[in-house]
């Protein structure tokens, strides 16, 4: 595989081990900025943070914006429920991430690269600090400055422009866009913000070539992705699979199914902002286009599997309350929307009201769509509307009895 030799994190790689397996070879070949940009664009690599924006395109915008200095930000402000892929990559393969950042800095070119790191990830901080010292000692950084900056543990702090605010010493509040960070980011300068997994793909692309990278995954979505499986599974953990692998393979062969032999009821395939899939969609390929066709999305690869003993009203209420709590509140529409959605769900949960409440959700979502500075305002919609559509028996039971059906 591309990110973990055995398809999952097994050992904490040292500097010598990384170099012995071809690490820093791509950098030592001294590729020109244009050559890096071309290879990354040809690879078809898309950002792995959830939005899936083409990486080559983002880097080209930063490189072509005639303003200096330019910056690189590796976003490890990981605070998505159930996600731990940034952490395992930084703990196990810090030099892979660092080499990706150095290559990005050479491409656009930038003179300062930041690791924006969840402030509770102390082990990652140490591992990455050591990696920077080792690379510096080996003369691999040249004039590039690399710093680590703590990311507050609130969900919205992981949004790219909120990360830039924090790096500028301000509270983690998303910025209104455009301009996008690639054109006007940190201190108003062109800034490439990508997540950890995205940077970790770059050294292999430069070392083995875009054509080799495209032998993994699908034509539209080349490469692999790390999927996080939670404690409800027999084999929880982070697993790297080629994009386009089937959800069934991940669920049955890799994850070993649900604990205690429980039967599958639903899947949330990409974190709390995705639509639920029913159990009979288990054969869907894991790539953005296939999941979109199935009515959901891949997000950042955080998988949640729910058993037939799960009340989907409880789960949906939990998600709605999460977004209401995590809204930073600077956009009135977002504040109002997330609170209303969770209040209505709570009424259903308590059995207060009737089925006309189901229609309120779509009206609230339609009214507020796009009225926020960031994507959070659109996030509660897919899980709520899909849950009501797919699991109406659970909702009807709550309305009638005010209790879970199980
Ligand atoms: S949309 Fe919501 S979370 Fe995003 S900036 Fe506005 S208030 Fe904050």
């Amino acid at each position: 595989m591309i990110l973990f030799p055995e398809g999952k994190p097994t050992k904490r790689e040292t500097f010598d081990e990384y170099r012995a397996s071809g690490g820093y070879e791509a950098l030592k070949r001294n590729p020109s900025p244009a050559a890096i940009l071309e290879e990354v664009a040809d690879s078809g690599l898309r950002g792995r943070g959830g939005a899936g924006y083409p990486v080559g395109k983002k880097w080209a915008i930063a490189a072509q914006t005639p303003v200096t200095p330019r910056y690189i930000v590796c976003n490890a402000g990981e605070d998505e429920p159930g996600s731990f892929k940034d952490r395992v990559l930084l703990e196990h393969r810090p030099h892979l991430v660092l080499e990706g950042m150095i290559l990005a800095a050479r491409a656009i070119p930038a003179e300062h690269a930041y690791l924006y790191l969840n402030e509770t990830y102390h082990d990652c901080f140490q591992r990455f600090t050591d990696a920077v010292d080792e690379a510096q000692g080996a003369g691999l950084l040249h004039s590039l400055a690399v710093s680590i900056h703590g990311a507050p543990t609130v969900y919205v702090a992981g949004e790219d422009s909120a990360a830039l605010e924090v790096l500028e010493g301000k509270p983690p509040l998303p910025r209104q866009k455009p301009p996008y960070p690639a054109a006007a980011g940190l201190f108003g300068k062109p800034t490439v913000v990508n997540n950890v997994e995205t940077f970790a793909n770059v050294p292999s692309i430069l070392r083995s070539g875009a054509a080799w990278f495209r032998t993994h995954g699908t034509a539209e979505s080349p490469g692999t992705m790390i999927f996080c499986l939670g404690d409800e599974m027999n084999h929880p953990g982070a697993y790297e699979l080629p994009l386009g692998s089937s959800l069934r393979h991940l669920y049955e062969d890799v994850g070993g199914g649900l604990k205690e032999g429980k039967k599958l009821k639903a899947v949330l395939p990409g974190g709390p902002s995705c639509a639920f899939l029913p159990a009979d969609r288990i054969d869907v390929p894991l790539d953005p286009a296939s999941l979109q066709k199935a009515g959901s999305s891949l997000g950042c690869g955080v998988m949640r599997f729910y058993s037939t003993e799960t009340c989907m009203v409880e789960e949906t209420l939990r998600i709605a309350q999460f977004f209401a709590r995590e809204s930073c509140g600077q956009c009135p529409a977002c504040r109002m929307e997330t609170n209303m959605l969770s209040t209505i769900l709570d009424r259903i949960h308590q059995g207060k009201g009737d089925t006309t409440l189901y229609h309120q959700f779509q009206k609230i979502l339609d009214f507020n769509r796009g009225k926020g500075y960031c994507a959070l305002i659109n996030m509660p919609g897919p899980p709520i509307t899909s849950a009501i559509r797919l699991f109406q028996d659970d909702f009807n039971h709550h309305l009638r009895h005010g209790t879970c059906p199980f």
Side-chain angles (χ1 to χ4, degrees), residues 5-185:
E6 295 170 47
K8 60 184 178 182
T10 47
K11 67 184 174 105
R12 294 155 66 92
E13 190 178 52
T14 66
F15 184 36
D16 288 343
E17 286 166 346
Y18 182 63
R19 284 191 297 188
S21 63
Y24 291 114
E25 255 177 36
L27 194 62
K28 283 185 180 157
R29 283 185 207 150
N30 207 15
S32 68
I36 299 172
L37 290 174
E38 189 179 336
E39 205 68 40
V40 171
D42 288 351
S43 75
L45 176 66
R46 289 174 176 269
R48 298 294 194 244
Y53 193 78
V55 176
K57 204 166 159 187
K58 182 185 278 188
W59 291 16
I61 292 169
Q64 287 160 10
T65 301
V67 177
T68 56
R70 302 187 183 96
Y71 298 102
I72 297 294
V73 175
C74 177
N75 189 351
E78 185 170 62
D79 203 46
E80 176 125 2
S83 182
F84 46 90
K85 54 164 71 179
D86 291 355
R87 179 172 59 72
V88 294
L89 268 170
L90 286 163
E91 282 175 359
H92 291 80
R93 305 208 69 195
H95 280 285
L96 181 71
V97 180
L98 178 58
E99 188 182 3
M101 292 168 65
I102 299 170
L103 286 163
R106 180 170 292 190
I108 66 168
E111 51 194 56
H112 202 140
Y114 293 86
L115 176 68
Y116 175 71
L117 179 67
N118 179 315
E119 63 191 7
T120 66
Y121 284 6
H122 304 298
D123 195 25
C124 295
F125 180 91
Q126 197 52 55
R127 291 280 288 155
F128 196 77
T129 301
D130 292 345
V132 171
D133 289 346
E134 287 161 345
Q136 179 85 283
L140 294 164
L141 295 185
H142 298 288
S143 60
L144 178 68
V146 182
S147 314
I148 307 179
H149 195 104
T153 51
V154 289
Y155 181 68
V156 85
E159 197 268 352
D160 57 1
S161 65
L164 300 178
E165 290 286 294
V166 174
L167 288 170
E168 291 182 9
K170 293 180 261 182
L173 299 176
R175 297 175 180 171
Q176 190 168 20
K177 297 176 195 143
Y180 292 93

Side-chain angles (χ1 to χ4, degrees), residues 338-353:
T338 51
N339 276 315
M340 284 179 79
L341 295 173
S342 94
T343 301
I344 296 174
L345 270 168
D346 194 38
R347 284 187 62 195
I348 294 172
H349 184 254
Q350 293 183 44
K352 295 178 180 166

Side-chain angles (χ1 to χ4, degrees), residues 156 174 327-331 334 372-374 376-377:
V156 85
S327 164
C328 75
Q330 66 175 331
C331 312
C334 177
Y373 283 2
C374 80
L376 188 141
I377 196 167

Side-chain angles (χ1 to χ4, degrees), residues 202-238:
V202 173
S204 304
I205 291 170
L206 268 294
R207 190 169 64 240
S208 304
W212 168 84
F213 184 76
R214 282 183 171 279
T215 62
H216 303 78
T218 68
E220 257 184 53
S221 300
T224 62
M225 189 151 177
I226 299 174
F227 297 97
C228 294
L229 302 187
D231 287 337
E232 73 273 22
M233 303 296 290
N234 278 310
H235 307 304

